[in-house]
Amino acid sequence: MDDALLVSDGFLVPGKDKGGLYVVKKPGDDDKEWNVCLTGGPSSVAPPEDSGWFYHRSVWIDLTNDGRKSVLTARAKLNGAGSSNAKTQLVWLETPKPDSYDELSGSPLEEDGTPFDPFNGRHLPWKAHVLTEGPDVMFSIADMDTADDTIEVFASHFFDRKVMLYSIRRGPKPEIVFERSIDEKCGAAFGCTLANLNIPNKEYHEPNGRMTIDSGSTIPTLRARDSFSHLLVTSHECRYTEGSENKEINGGSLFAYRVPSNAKNKNAWKFEPWLRTTVISDFTVKGQLSNIINPGAPGFVYTFYARREEALNPTQRPLIAIAGDCAESAYILRPIRKDDANDPEAQYKVMCEIACGSTVGSIGVGYDNFMHAEQEDDYAKLYIPCYEKDKILVFAMGSGLESIDHNGF
């Protein structure tokens, strides 16, 4: 289904909290658009245990080691008023198997001998297998040890207020065989993205033996099999900053967790602390009638490069973009030098704030020229949706030769 969208539907707002997972082909085409609900819909009723959930993120992945790409997703359900009653799960939806294969062509077949179609009504809804409780919104996937038969899921727990790591053993019956907490004092964790904040070619950055499977970001700065150095997590609240548990953070934050070095032990990620750095904090909600229910800030976090060439062959640390959500702004952060910090490569400062006057739920980045506006070729274009205003703002980056600073921006 490389030519289709996998849509996670639903939200915690009353009236929108009963969602599902949809596959959509040719979206926007009035004549050819096609969609199917994998979790139950008008033509197939889901069992009671799979009804009433809303879904935030879903990815195609082969968990059974047989070439079938199933769906890994996080979902939540509010049982009554208040988030304290939320039920949350990490689930995989198993792709149906063909009944048989044609002896001559090898094509998969249904029980009645017709061509196999996993999206046919006879196979809906797909079987949902609960891997664990806790994950509810965003997650990233990596392989922390390519020599074993597990993959790792990094999950932000919004309702449980923590960041967790899970190892899933792939096979006929995927199961979680290891889990650990990365941070239990982070507050309501939301965005969750793998990132490589290392300075390229710096001598002390040895090959780390871990690789990205799905970074958790819609901006593909890290692709499958790329290495990574940090986990970036946004939080709507937190009680303290590093080294000063009595100092409260005012509003939401972006945290960077450095992956423990495996120079002495390849399994250090399992038991060593993940050093946390507060990259930026004090995101505050700007209340509107439209966000009066469960407002929060910031939203999703992304890494990207200012130029297409840098994105393909990095020579410096990436920029960071943050969707402010109910802070009603988008933020671009640039790397700074602070060699005396506990984690020098997690040091960033605000390069610019783009005030939008409405909810900013996500950000898109591309490098192709936007229409016929004056712009420099191959520089990043930022696409920023303003929800209540029904607008998408487009900003083009450039060389800024007249004002380059010592950091190269």
Side-chain angles (χ1 to χ4, degrees):
M1 296 302 294
D2 292 337
D3 60 344
L5 297 177
L6 179 61
V7 179
S8 306
D9 179 55
F11 198 51
L12 52 77
V13 177
K16 303 291 186 181
D17 54 347
K18 293 178 175 58
L21 293 182
Y22 293 83
V23 175
V24 184
K25 295 188 71 172
K26 299 186 182 301
D29 189 319
D30 292 337
D31 297 323
K32 298 181 179 179
E33 180 176 314
W34 169 90
N35 70 80
V36 62
C37 182
L38 303 181
T39 52
S43 60
S44 61
V45 179
E49 63 270 20
D50 291 327
S51 300
W53 299 88
F54 59 89
Y55 298 77
H56 244 94
R57 184 159 201 271
S58 308
V59 298
W60 294 107
I61 188 168
D62 178 8
L63 290 178
T64 48
N65 255 349
D66 58 6
R68 288 182 299 149
K69 282 200 171 183
S70 296
V71 177
L72 183 65
T73 185
R75 65 186 187 182
K77 178 190 295 188
L78 298 181
N79 297 320
S83 60
S84 61
N85 295 314
K87 189 173 183 180
T88 58
Q89 295 178 341
L90 182 68
V91 175
W92 71 281
L93 270 66
E94 184 178 4
T95 301
K97 288 183 178 181
D99 180 75
S100 61
Y101 293 87
D102 185 90
E103 294 182 359
L104 295 178
S105 67
S107 300
L109 301 174
E110 301 281 5
E111 186 177 7
D112 59 6
T114 58
F116 172 71
D117 178 6
F119 304 107
N120 187 289
R122 72 182 77 183
H123 299 301
L124 298 175
W126 285 9
K127 174 63 177 177
H129 304 266
V130 179
L131 292 169
T132 189
E133 296 185 350
D136 46 22
V137 282
M138 306 307 291
F139 59 88
S140 306
I141 309 172
D143 192 343
M144 298 298 289
D145 184 355
T146 57
D148 66 15
D149 58 355
T150 67
I151 59 172
E152 280 64 48
V153 173
F154 302 89
S156 52
H157 288 212
F158 183 82
F159 294 112
D160 285 350
R161 293 173 167 78
K162 56 187 175 182
V163 180
M164 293 287 294
L165 181 156
Y166 302 93
S167 289
I168 302 175
R169 178 182 290 135
R170 300 170 65 201
K173 295 182 178 180
E175 61 178 340
I176 290 177
V177 294
F178 172 82
E179 66 179 66
R180 67 160 293 181
S181 169
I182 292 177
D183 189 354
E184 295 187 355
K185 298 180 179 180
C186 59
F190 188 64
C192 179
T193 303
L194 299 177
N196 195 347
L197 306 184
N198 284 350
I199 300 173
N201 301 322
K202 199 167 183 180
E203 290 183 2
Y204 63 78
H205 292 306
E206 76 283 352
N208 54 36
R210 52 185 174 263
M211 69 178 191
T212 303
I213 294 177
D214 186 299
S215 70
S217 175
T218 53
I219 299 174
T221 304
L222 287 185
R223 293 175 170 81
R225 305 190 69 83
D226 283 350
S227 62
F228 60 97
S229 63
H230 289 76
L231 176 68
L232 301 180
V233 174
T234 57
S235 170
H236 288 182
E237 61 180 10
C238 186
R239 297 173 182 246
Y240 76 102
T241 57
E242 300 77 31
S244 179
E245 295 196 16
N246 295 321
K247 180 182 176 182
E248 291 189 2
I249 294 176
N250 179 28
S253 303
L254 168 64
F255 300 126
Y257 300 89
R258 173 169 279 284
V259 182
S261 172
N262 60 4
K264 295 182 179 179
N265 189 322
K266 72 173 186 177
N267 292 320
W269 58 273
K270 289 186 175 182
F271 56 84
E272 292 286 348
W274 287 55
L275 176 64
R276 190 183 90 173
T277 298
T278 301
V279 181
I280 182 174
S281 61
D282 298 345
F283 292 91
T284 55
V285 170
K286 295 181 180 179
Q288 291 191 33
L289 289 177
S290 58
N291 65 24
I292 195 171
I293 300 174
N294 293 304
F300 300 131
V301 58
Y302 315 84
T303 60
F304 73 103
Y305 291 91
R307 295 183 298 128
R308 189 195 303 268
E309 182 181 346
E310 277 292 319
L312 297 174
N313 299 290
T315 60
Q316 55 188 330
R317 290 151 61 198
L319 300 172
I320 293 177
I322 304 172
D325 210 341
C326 294
E328 299 189 351
S329 290
Y331 305 83
I332 309 300
L333 278 58
R334 61 173 179 145
I336 60 174
R337 296 181 62 177
K338 194 174 180 183
D339 294 336
D340 60 343
N342 288 334
D343 188 354
E345 293 172 335
Q347 306 304 309
Y348 279 74
K349 68 179 296 185
V350 175
M351 179 178 175
C352 69
E353 175 183 348
I354 302 171
C356 299
S358 62
T359 303
V360 180
S362 60
I363 297 175
V365 173
Y367 295 94
D368 293 337
N369 285 350
F370 178 73
M371 300 183 72
H372 301 292
E374 183 178 348
Q375 58 201 286
E376 294 185 67
D377 292 343
D378 293 328
Y379 275 86
K381 316 304 183 291
L382 281 74
Y383 299 83
I384 303 172
C386 303
Y387 181 73
E388 290 83 4
K389 292 185 175 181
D390 291 332
K391 292 182 178 179
I392 297 178
L393 305 181
V394 183
F395 292 83
M397 302 192 75
S399 61
L401 292 176
E402 71 282 0
S403 59
I404 289 181
D405 65 17
H406 70 278
N407 285 298
F409 298 100

